[in-house]
Amino acid sequence: MRPVVGITAWPALVAAPHTTVDVQALPDNYLEVLDYVGLGALPLPVNGSPERAAELAARVDGLLLTGGGDVDPAAYAAPQRPQTD
């Protein structure tokens, strides 16, 4: 059995006829690369309970953080820089 990597998704809105739909987004290239190197992938939702997060964490052998917005520098007592988004 191949190792499984948890991979973070992000929230997105997708246009559908007459509405928009909330989805969990994850580009195919992340999944393709993991498969290419012999790893399984478990997409991780961006919301949910701490209990569900613990359940999913117990099922993975590694974690791929796909990125996102910057962490507020105040969270680690650092100054804000103009490049911080």
Side-chain angles (χ1 to χ4, degrees), residues 27-78:
D28 285 342
N29 60 336
Y30 285 105
L31 303 174
E32 290 167 359
V33 168
L34 289 174
D35 184 58
Y36 180 78
V37 298
L39 300 170
L42 176 64
L44 302 173
V46 296
N47 52 19
S49 69
E51 294 80 18
R52 179 67 176 146
E55 177 186 319
L56 292 171
R59 296 176 54 193
V60 299
D61 302 296
L63 181 62
L64 173 57
L65 303 173
T66 57
D70 293 336
V71 175
D72 185 347
Y76 48 90

